[in-house]
Amino acid sequence: MRDGQRVRRWAAGALALWMIAIGQTAVAAEAAHPPIVPGYYRLMDEGKAPPAALGEVLLGELNCTACHSAGDSSHVLSKGAPNLADAGARLTPQYIKAYLTSPHTAKPGATMPDIFHASDPQARDGAVEYLTHYLVSLGGPIAPATEEGNAMLVEHGRKIFHSIGCVACHAPEGKETKVPSVPFPNLAQKTTVDQLAAFLMDPLKVRPGSRMPNLRLTKQDATAISVYLLRAQLDNPIAKTAPPVMVHGVKYAYYEESVESVPLESFDKMKSKGEGRLENFTLDIPSRRSDNFAVKFTATLHVARTGRYTFATNSDDGSRLYVNGELVVNNDGVHAAGRKAGMIELKEGDVPIAVTYFQGGSDVALRVTWTPPQGRQGPIPTASLMVTGGQPMLPLDDSPFTVDPQKAAMGGKMFAALGCAACHQIEGVQPLRQAKALAALDVESPQGCLGTSIAKGIPNYDLSDAQRAALKAAVKSASHFSEPLDAKTQVTRVMAAFNCYACHMRDNVGGPTTDRSDYFTMTAEFDMGDEGRIPPKLTNVGQKLLPEAIDKIVFEGKLHIRPVLATRMPTFSREKAGSIVEAVAKADAQPGDYKPKIADNSSKDGRQLVGTRGMGCVNCHGMLGVKSLGMPAPELTYEHDRLRPQWFHALMVNPPAVNPGTRMPAFWADGQVAFKNLADGTMDGQIDAIWSYLSMGDAMALPAGLQPSGGIELIPTDTPIVHRTMMAGVGNRSVLVGYPESVHVAFDADIVRLAKAWKGRFFDAKGFWEQRGGQHLLPLGHDIIDLPPGPAIAILPTAADAWPIPKAKDERNLGGRFKGYALDKDERPIFHYMLNDTIDIHEQPLPMLRSSGPQLVRRFQVESPQPVGRLFFLAGQGKKIDIKSPTDYLVDGKMT
């Protein structure tokens, strides 16, 4: 007999004997701790939902429909189960074994059922052994931990965990909560910091059901939270004898010392406040203070090629860079941000590198770059930096584990036979057990899932009496599942399934409970009351937000307007929760279709009304990423993309009536108008003008009173700015024109052509002032259009002849001789040039404000005292030109 046949017969026989061992008598089941489904508790306690509705929530969250079909129904939103395709790479063998043996002991309140609740211990342990080997074989065993932890990281992780929204679902440390919290298992036994951080950064990969959403964490924050949650591993005796590991990155030591110079040896006399590892030379140090601190970075630099290397630091205040013990860059002392560089000959191999830095007050900045031989200047790649880590954090109860292929094969068969594959979908594995549809179940059977004497082999969820009654009521009404839910009920069902009620109130259900509300805070030191720190109520939110805005907020993490709210709005799976967008619109539909009346000058008037020369909205509201002058109220940049015009109008007319408790004042009390010279001097006209201005989105010009920080940004406010400089993609003789209407152009005085047009922010002049004027910068805005490389007007023998284009970088006057420019009465430039010394051309780019946003019109005046032959105008050039009408052409989808 061949070995393969012997293994298959042994596995088949063992499986049959094991199934007989666990599949006989029934025993009484007592609920140890019922499954914790927060949305179910909120609806039960606050929404007074009937048992059948509560049962439908439980059917989805316990994943009952994975085995018992409910048909194509909107009544049950199935949670699904974690993806176990790489379980062995994420989970330790000791945790897998403990969780399979008794899931409700390993994780009280778990929604996973206990399959072996009444099995003979010997049969159970044997089955768990096989299943453990199978699951560990899926990508495992788990890789050794590389991340190290320390008290500073634990504290930083604790702070983030208790501020960004984690405790809306999970219990705050050391607290019992009114609404049962989503439980944690023994995380310190379950996984490593590396794996937990990877999970936190992309939870939908492992839990596609999206009940654990994505909080858009950085690698540093995810690692800090992981260290906090796994902090018990710091005291793991095994870790104290484990050898350190080599990992990419840099080591840092952080000091809270007031110094004015940072030679490397000075750090020997100081005591660090914390140490750790970073991806690169950065000041993203957990819990560092804002000034009077110092940092020492150390690493091993891999030199791939022998040659001369240039290193540089740009810092505020002082920094030094050492390579192989030699001081290469001395940028020390108290000073504003400034760059210094140095060169060193290095041989192929590994050399030590160190960077020291201190900050004495005001701004904080550090940037480290290198230029390798025959390479470009840029940050030192993380892949070229290595450090010897400290003692890594190792999972508890860790012990060597080797996958037994025969046991893994047997475990795979059991995984299918037990029905595990019905919930946990693994490619190539199909469940072998067929279950009845929901409508066909006998819910009163004492031995079934909902009974009190659950049979061996039948899953036991440890249900409470109330949960059992709710599930029975839902199953008894399963014949009605084919009837679609009304929109209002569908919204409630989605919010319960995804625990939206943890943060948001809708129809008097949900919102932060009193034992959690203190953890909802602002990042700014400004008392705005609950309006500034508690997530908004969602009652009638469909009257407020556009459907497309809800979609972007919930599923893409866009259009957020409260940058100082510490609690983050997470992103969910559109596939799982996407039905809420249409449901909210239907549930909250309101009669009436208000349409603002927009005139061509509305945006200009709206801009004045928003600024300090008008109603002063900027005193509370920031725009385009620029902070407000005072209270950090919601950002206004994307309000047009978020709000329904009818809701916006109602808010402006009477803010407290629309948003009870708001601090926003009414600007037109009793219909009185303060600025009678703007927008027809009426309340409705001025509200519509503000709406027109906001409709420009990130293409709007900042209103009076707001000023960006950093760089030397040029901002056209009341009149255009003409700026002669160098621009990337244009040339050394660029004439830039920024218009208050937030559409701008760049004229190439070398070739003599209009070269670029763009919207939004204008230009940063720092390129002319920094690095000896050697920086050619791009526009600050967006929707950049590159116009044809040649002139706009040319003399050609025929229309079929090639258009003139520059043949060399230094070519000049291809479009004529540049004669300069003059300003019209509104200070807008008119470019003047001569073609063939006979054709006099005046070209003026003119901004036009329309209700759809700013547009650019090009106006030409061409004169000649004598015939000039065939004169052609190149209106546009692109890869694709669509004919929209007999006179309108769309070039590359950008320019008409």
Side-chain angles (χ1 to χ4, degrees):
M1 181 183 297
R2 295 179 180 175
D3 289 343
Q5 293 175 322
R6 184 179 293 111
V7 169
R8 285 195 294 272
R9 290 187 182 181
W10 169 84
L15 178 62
L17 289 172
W18 175 79
M19 290 296 290
I20 291 172
I22 69 161
Q24 293 178 345
T25 60
V27 298
E30 290 188 18
H33 196 301
I36 293 177
V37 179
Y40 157 83
Y41 288 108
R42 298 305 288 262
L43 290 182
M44 180 176 65
D45 295 339
E46 303 166 27
K48 310 304 180 186
L54 296 173
E56 289 176 16
V57 173
L58 290 174
L59 285 173
E61 298 313 290
L62 300 180
N63 214 29
C64 302
T65 54
C67 293
H68 306 287
S69 172
D72 186 14
S73 173
S74 62
H75 287 244
V76 179
L77 300 176
S78 179
K79 179 175 74 170
N83 181 355
L84 298 182
D86 63 345
R90 298 183 290 104
L91 308 174
T92 66
Q94 61 269 25
Y95 174 78
I96 294 174
K97 184 175 292 186
Y99 192 63
L100 290 176
T101 300
S102 180
H104 302 149
T105 301
K107 185 180 179 181
T111 55
M112 173 165 159
D114 186 350
I115 299 296
F116 307 115
H117 59 97
S119 298
D120 175 82
Q122 186 174 358
R124 177 201 63 200
D125 294 346
V128 167
E129 177 76 7
Y130 294 132
L131 287 168
T132 300
H133 278 266
Y134 169 65
L135 292 174
V136 173
S137 74
L138 302 178
I142 189 170
T146 63
E147 295 289 348
E148 56 184 287
N150 54 57
M152 189 174 176
L153 268 179
V154 170
E155 191 54 40
H156 183 56
R158 177 182 282 114
K159 179 180 178 182
I160 301 171
F161 181 83
H162 288 86
S163 63
I164 66 171
C166 303
V167 295
C169 295
H170 302 287
E173 185 177 344
K175 269 198 174 184
E176 292 186 8
T177 54
K178 178 182 176 182
V179 177
S181 301
V182 177
F184 283 132
N186 185 350
L187 288 174
Q189 180 197 53
K190 179 179 181 178
T191 191
T192 64
V193 172
D194 310 59
Q195 292 298 327
L196 183 54
F199 167 75
L200 292 176
M201 293 177 68
D202 187 11
L204 298 186
K205 180 180 178 182
V206 174
R207 296 183 178 268
S210 196
R211 272 47 170 187
M212 170 67 189
N214 191 332
L215 282 166
R216 305 184 307 281
L217 295 168
T218 64
K219 175 73 161 43
Q220 288 89 347
D221 285 351
T223 299
I225 293 175
S226 300
V227 170
Y228 163 67
L229 293 176
L230 304 180
R231 58 193 180 279
Q233 293 181 358
L234 290 171
D235 297 323
N236 189 348
I238 301 175
K240 295 178 180 179
T241 59
V245 292
M246 288 290 289
V247 291
H248 288 294
V250 300
K251 294 269 293 184
Y252 73 85
Y254 166 75
Y255 304 81
E256 293 185 349
E257 300 274 356
S258 178
V259 297
E260 295 187 355
S261 180
V262 280
L264 188 60
E265 58 272 13
S266 66
F267 287 88
D268 296 335
K269 303 173 184 177
M270 298 188 290
K271 184 177 180 180
S272 72
K273 288 287 186 177
E275 300 179 356
R277 182 175 66 87
L278 297 168
E279 295 292 307
N280 216 301
F281 300 100
T282 171
L283 297 177
D284 294 332
I285 295 170
S287 300
R288 70 161 174 81
R289 62 188 187 184
S290 57
D291 51 31
N292 290 318
F293 66 88
V295 187
K296 179 178 69 174
F297 302 92
T298 54
T300 298
L301 175 68
H302 178 66
V303 179
R305 175 183 297 176
T306 299
R308 176 172 293 184
Y309 287 74
T310 299
F311 293 87
T313 68
N314 192 321
S315 64
D316 179 353
D317 289 293
S319 59
R320 295 185 179 213
L321 185 146
Y322 300 80
V323 179
N324 211 15
E326 180 180 338
L327 178 61
V328 179
V329 178
N330 187 347
N331 197 2
D332 211 344
V334 177
H335 55 74
R339 179 180 183 272
K340 287 193 176 181
M343 291 185 295
I344 186 173
E345 291 280 348
L346 295 176
K347 294 182 179 180
E348 181 180 342
D350 294 334
V351 295
I353 183 172
V355 173
T356 59
Y357 168 84
F358 81 91
Q359 199 281 335
S362 189
D363 294 335
V364 178
L366 175 66
R367 187 168 186 260
V368 178
T369 59
W370 75 340
T371 307
Q374 301 178 12
R376 294 184 176 182
Q377 176 185 325
I380 303 173
T382 299
S384 298
L385 298 166
M386 297 288 292
V387 295
T388 301
Q391 296 302 326
M393 295 178 67
L394 300 181
L396 305 183
D397 306 323
D398 189 28
S399 60
F401 187 93
T402 302
V403 174
D404 184 320
Q406 292 185 352
K407 290 183 178 180
M410 179 64 176
K413 293 178 181 295
M414 290 180 175
F415 191 84
L418 286 169
C420 306
C423 292
H424 303 279
Q425 297 179 4
I426 297 177
E427 186 176 355
V429 182
Q430 298 296 326
L432 301 182
R433 303 171 67 180
Q434 300 297 322
K436 295 179 180 179
L438 276 179
L441 291 176
D442 176 10
V443 297
E444 301 301 339
S445 170
Q447 295 186 343
C449 297
L450 305 181
T452 55
S453 300
I454 302 172
K456 285 184 179 181
I458 301 298
N460 180 9
Y461 287 90
D462 273 344
L463 299 169
S464 68
D465 290 340
Q467 290 174 334
R468 191 176 289 109
L471 284 164
K472 287 182 178 180
V475 174
K476 288 177 180 178
S477 64
S479 58
H480 300 288
F481 283 6
S482 59
E483 302 170 7
L485 291 173
D486 65 86
K488 185 176 181 180
T489 304
Q490 191 172 357
V491 173
T492 301
R493 198 61 51 82
V494 173
M495 290 187 64
F498 294 90
N499 202 21
C500 306
Y501 289 121
C503 294
H504 300 281
M505 177 182 286
R506 180 177 169 90
D507 297 332
N508 296 317
V509 178
T513 52
T514 54
D515 47 10
R516 284 185 164 100
S517 63
D518 288 347
Y519 296 100
F520 290 78
T521 60
M522 294 172 56
T523 58
E525 294 183 4
F526 201 105
D527 182 13
M528 291 179 61
D530 286 351
E531 185 182 17
R533 66 184 190 88
I534 301 296
K537 294 180 180 179
L538 299 186
T539 302
N540 295 324
V541 69
Q543 296 176 12
K544 174 182 178 180
L545 296 178
L546 295 164
E548 52 269 30
I550 296 175
D551 185 272
K552 289 182 178 179
I553 292 168
V554 177
F555 306 120
E556 297 181 18
K558 298 179 179 178
L559 300 183
H560 295 303
I561 59 169
R562 302 176 70 185
V564 298
L565 184 66
T567 305
R568 301 181 186 179
M569 170 67 197
T571 54
F572 294 84
S573 163
R574 184 181 281 111
E575 178 186 356
K576 292 292 184 178
S579 62
I580 196 171
V581 176
E582 183 180 355
V584 164
K586 288 183 178 179
D588 298 343
Q590 188 178 31
D593 187 18
Y594 172 79
K595 292 184 178 179
K597 297 178 182 178
I598 306 299
D600 283 349
N601 65 338
S602 291
S603 296
K604 183 177 181 180
D605 289 347
R607 180 185 177 204
Q608 182 171 337
L609 287 164
V610 168
T612 51
R613 297 176 185 176
M615 299 186 307
C617 305
V618 295
N619 288 313
C620 297
H621 298 278
M623 305 179 72
L624 296 173
V626 180
K627 294 180 180 179
S628 70
L629 302 178
M631 178 187 295
E635 248 257 10
L636 297 183
T637 308
Y638 300 109
E639 290 296 57
H640 181 270
D641 296 329
R642 291 167 43 93
L643 302 178
R644 292 182 182 271
Q646 186 168 338
W647 187 91
F648 176 79
H649 185 273
L651 176 73
M652 298 297 286
V653 171
N654 191 350
V658 175
N659 190 9
T662 183
R663 298 188 179 192
M664 180 172 170
F667 290 98
W668 297 274
D670 301 321
Q672 297 297 311
V673 178
F675 301 93
K676 299 184 183 298
N677 62 321
L678 298 174
D680 299 329
T682 65
M683 178 184 70
D684 287 344
Q686 292 181 354
I687 293 174
D688 290 350
I690 293 173
W691 183 253
S692 175
Y693 171 58
L694 295 179
S695 73
M696 298 168 68
D698 56 9
M700 69 176 75
L702 283 171
L706 295 187
Q707 173 72 37
S709 60
I712 312 173
E713 182 170 347
L714 304 178
I715 304 172
T717 51
D718 299 323
T719 58
I721 293 176
V722 180
H723 180 58
R724 304 194 70 156
T725 186
M726 304 166 293
M727 174 176 269
V730 180
N732 293 328
R733 297 175 67 210
S734 302
V735 183
L736 279 53
V737 186
Y739 297 98
E741 291 83 357
S742 275
V743 59
H744 318 293
V745 298
F747 191 89
D748 179 357
D750 277 334
I751 300 299
V752 188
R753 65 179 184 117
L754 194 67
K756 286 184 185 290
W758 67 96
K759 295 180 180 178
R761 296 164 65 189
F762 178 40
F763 189 67
D764 192 337
K766 70 180 181 181
F768 188 81
W769 297 100
E770 293 184 359
Q771 296 187 17
R772 299 181 182 179
Q775 296 186 81
H776 288 52
L777 300 182
L778 288 167
L780 287 177
H782 55 84
D783 291 342
I784 300 171
I785 293 176
D786 290 311
L787 296 164
I793 296 176
I795 300 173
L796 298 177
T798 69
D801 283 277
W803 196 263
I805 59 173
K807 297 181 175 60
K809 288 184 178 181
D810 57 353
E811 186 166 354
R812 297 178 63 174
N813 302 327
L814 187 63
R817 287 190 300 110
F818 186 54
K819 305 286 287 183
Y821 58 85
L823 302 179
D824 67 8
K825 62 182 181 62
D826 295 316
E827 300 184 39
R828 300 175 301 192
I830 304 170
F831 296 103
H832 182 201
Y833 46 98
M834 299 287 295
L835 183 61
N836 279 12
D837 292 326
T838 57
I839 303 172
D840 200 0
I841 302 173
H842 290 80
E843 176 182 354
Q844 186 175 30
L846 288 171
M848 298 289 179
L849 279 178
R850 297 290 186 263
S851 58
S852 58
Q855 298 179 2
L856 185 72
V857 174
R858 298 174 69 186
R859 179 179 292 170
F860 291 86
Q861 179 180 318
V862 183
E863 298 179 1
S864 176
Q866 60 190 39
V868 296
R870 305 196 68 180
L871 198 64
F872 292 89
F873 169 59
L874 182 61
Q877 174 180 309
K879 295 180 179 179
K880 183 181 180 183
I881 299 180
D882 297 317
I883 301 175
K884 295 299 182 181
S885 75
T887 58
D888 289 343
Y889 300 82
L890 181 64
V891 180
D892 288 338
K894 293 183 177 181
M895 182 174 66
T896 302

